[in-house]
Amino acid sequence: MDSGDSKRLLELLTARRAELIAQWEQAVGASLHGRLSTVELGRELSELYDAVVDALATGGFAGRSSEYAVVRSLLVELSRNRARQGFTPTETAVSVFALKEVLESLLGGSVEDIHVYLQFSRLLDDLGLFTVEEYARTREEIISAQSQQLLELSTPVVKLWDGVVGVPLVGTLDSARTQVVMEKLLQALLDSNSAHAIIDITGVPAVDTQVAQHLLKTVVAARMMGAECVISGIRPQIAQTIVGLGIEFGDIPTKATLADALRHALVEIDKASATRAAGLL
Amino acid sequence: MRNYPADEASREEVAIQASGDVVKARQTVRLLAQQAGLSLVNQTKLVTAASELGRNTLIYGGGGTAQAAIVRDVARVGVWVRFADTGPGIPDTELALTDGWTSGSGMGLGLSGARRLVDEFELDSTPGVGTTVTVLKWAR
Ligand SMILES: Nc1ncnc2c1ncn2[C@@H]1O[C@H](COP(=O)(O)OP(=O)(O)OP(=O)(O)O)[C@@H](O)[C@H]1O
Ligand SMILES: [Mg+2]
């Protein structure tokens, strides 16, 4: 697009800057129902306005060109803020589209005016879409960060006794969750200087080969750190299913309840200290 | 496997495209198993078999569908589940059904274990065309 087209538009945007920004602010403010402070909105839109004017002067109407880098980074910021503040995608895009309406009333009826307006309008459509894309990306990031947090929250590793840590597993175990459990458990063994871990699966509705494989890997990793794991909370239906599948837990101790597992761990600790004491004598 | 009449109202279909879909299929099967009156042990066995087959559909079949329904025979009720994909197929089904055999990094117990967990089992696979596994568990 040659800059001759945008010349009159640029003149207009520059000459009536204050008035146009005020109108734009009003249009956007109305659509956001006062959920954003006017000061903040005013600052946001004036910055964006100036950046668009600068970009128009150098890059014409090519919204995805390098001349528009500043505009795009302002839009990224705007859409990120809107997403975090809980505005909808529409409410976010309106911030850009409202400028069209403001300009519409300004332009005369000449063919050139209409031509320029259409080009500007297309530019704003493109920038509006960019804003929505950015908005969606931010939402995705927020959601995945939250589910990651939930994942960590839902797998608490607790110190059950001096030298014994436990992790109660609840709900469906997929690879991602089991991975988190394994890492947290190994870290907890290290941090608390424990030699025993109890993995309680009372809250797990089904144990398939994938879950079993993850459990076995965790136990092996714990052993490499010098710690022993006990798996507890194996209910009758789970026990029968595991046998049906043909999974063997080998020499990994399994217990019906968490209490049994803790008792087992304490006996082991006693044995170990008795041996140590005997060695000292 | 015989063609048992299904309760059409109970028929469910789940597309298997991501690991979350396997969970969805599993929940669907669990619900039907409860409705059909399967015991807790049989529910867990069928759900676990569905979990194995669903994961195979996803990993080896490259995705597909799960169908499930409550079926009836003369005096018994059961749950029928079918996983189908249009993936590479299984060149040697007997080998695939051998305990401990895997082409990947699994335990190689999914297919053979699922067969042991259900009452009726049918594996249909054609290399280059796809794989269909159908299972049935009766309530008793
Ligand atoms: N739907 C399928 N399409 C193609 N190949 C399959 C399919 N299902 C199973 N197979 C093949 O059969 C093999 C055995 O499957 P099986 O489920 O018993 O073991 P696995 O998936 O390798 O390990 P796991 O014990 O974790 O299930 C697989 O490794 C794979 O090569
Ligand atoms: Mg498998």
Side-chain angles (χ1 to χ4, degrees):
Chain A
M1 222 49 62
D2 68 295
S3 53
D5 279 352
S6 53
K7 199 158 171 285
R8 191 172 127 66
L9 181 67
L10 266 174
E11 282 167 14
L12 233 146
L13 288 172
T14 314
R16 305 177 70 167
R17 178 178 181 276
E19 177 198 344
L20 289 176
I21 291 180
Q23 281 181 23
W24 188 17
E25 209 185 298
Q26 207 182 3
V28 176
S31 75
L32 299 182
H33 309 293
R35 282 190 289 147
L36 201 64
S37 83
T38 38
V39 182
E40 200 179 331
L41 186 62
R43 183 194 55 79
E44 225 176 34
L45 296 185
S46 337
E47 258 181 339
L48 189 56
Y49 188 94
D50 294 337
V52 168
V53 172
D54 283 349
L56 263 177
T58 52
F61 292 107
R64 306 243 165 176
S65 66
S66 62
E67 282 82 359
Y68 276 83
V70 177
V71 174
R72 283 196 302 268
S73 70
L74 287 173
L75 288 177
V76 167
E77 199 189 306
L78 182 144
S79 45
R80 287 184 166 250
N81 289 339
R82 295 281 198 281
R84 286 211 186 85
Q85 288 156 344
F87 289 100
T88 66
T90 308
E91 285 168 331
T92 305
V94 155
S95 297
V96 176
F97 293 142
L99 185 57
K100 283 208 280 191
E101 284 157 45
V102 172
L103 267 161
E104 200 182 281
S105 58
L106 265 181
L107 289 159
S110 74
V111 176
E112 294 82 55
D113 271 3
I114 292 172
H115 181 63
V116 166
Y117 176 73
L118 284 179
Q119 280 182 314
F120 189 59
S121 166
R122 225 172 290 143
L123 169 70
L124 289 180
D125 285 347
D126 196 24
L127 295 177
L129 283 179
F130 176 79
T131 312
V132 175
E133 281 164 25
E134 240 359 90
Y135 174 95
R137 208 191 319 277
T138 307
R139 277 295 280 267
E140 279 310 310
E141 279 168 18
I142 294 174
I143 292 169
S144 75
Q146 279 175 343
S147 65
Q148 186 61 33
Q149 282 167 4
L150 260 184
L151 209 62
E152 280 167 19
L153 269 183
S154 60
T155 51
V157 179
V158 288
K159 188 171 167 185
L160 291 172
W161 208 275
D162 199 27
V164 187
V165 295
V167 54
L169 299 180
V170 178
T172 304
L173 288 177
D174 55 16
S175 289
R177 254 197 85 198
T178 323
Q179 185 70 27
V180 171
V181 172
M182 170 160 157
E183 280 165 17
K184 283 185 99 179
L185 184 64
L186 298 178
Q187 191 60 46
L189 281 170
L190 199 65
D191 293 344
S192 64
N193 196 20
S194 299
H196 293 271
I198 299 173
I199 304 174
D200 187 80
I201 60 168
T202 309
V204 178
V207 174
D208 62 6
T209 57
Q210 192 182 33
V211 172
Q213 205 179 14
H214 283 306
L215 284 176
L216 292 173
K217 279 184 184 160
T218 307
V219 173
V220 170
R223 276 194 182 153
M224 290 175 75
M225 295 174 51
E228 273 306 312
C229 288
V230 181
I231 297 174
S232 71
I234 303 185
R235 289 165 297 151
Q237 66 272 26
I238 302 277
Q240 289 187 49
T241 307
I242 289 176
V243 171
L245 274 177
I247 297 169
E248 280 163 24
F249 277 135
D251 57 348
I252 299 164
T254 55
K255 299 284 166 197
T257 68
L258 185 58
D260 290 341
L262 184 54
R263 223 169 281 132
H264 171 88
L266 294 178
V267 168
E268 292 298 311
I269 290 175
D270 280 349
K271 267 196 234 161
S273 59
T275 327
R276 258 201 310 279
L280 285 175
L281 289 174
Chain B
M1 190 184 303
R2 260 184 55 203
N3 209 352
Y4 300 99
D7 282 0
E8 284 310 318
S10 73
R11 197 179 282 278
E12 298 278 356
E13 183 162 332
V14 178
I16 308 280
Q17 296 298 341
S19 67
D21 299 333
V22 178
V23 176
K24 217 187 297 168
R26 203 152 77 188
Q27 282 161 352
T28 304
V29 170
R30 165 87 66 184
L31 221 61
L32 289 182
Q34 284 165 354
Q35 282 167 16
L38 265 68
S39 70
L40 189 54
V41 171
N42 285 341
Q43 280 176 34
T44 309
K45 286 183 175 176
L46 181 63
V47 168
T48 307
S51 183
E52 295 300 338
L53 301 176
R55 198 145 33 76
N56 283 352
T57 300
L58 180 68
I59 297 175
Y60 304 111
T65 54
Q67 283 176 280
I70 294 178
V71 292
R72 286 173 199 282
D73 193 18
V74 189
R76 42 181 194 172
V77 184
V79 177
W80 170 98
V81 190
R82 169 173 287 167
F83 288 89
D85 65 64
T86 51
I90 304 176
D92 184 344
T93 51
E94 201 163 321
L95 185 62
L97 276 165
T98 307
D99 271 356
W101 190 85
T102 173
S103 65
S105 57
M107 298 179 106
L109 291 173
L111 268 183
S112 51
R115 178 162 66 171
R116 279 189 295 268
L117 291 173
V118 297
D119 298 321
E120 298 189 30
F121 179 97
E122 196 170 276
L123 169 61
D124 263 314
S125 190
T126 313
V129 178
T131 303
T132 300
V133 185
T134 313
V135 297
L136 208 165
K137 187 108 190 139
W138 297 111
R140 0 192 119 80

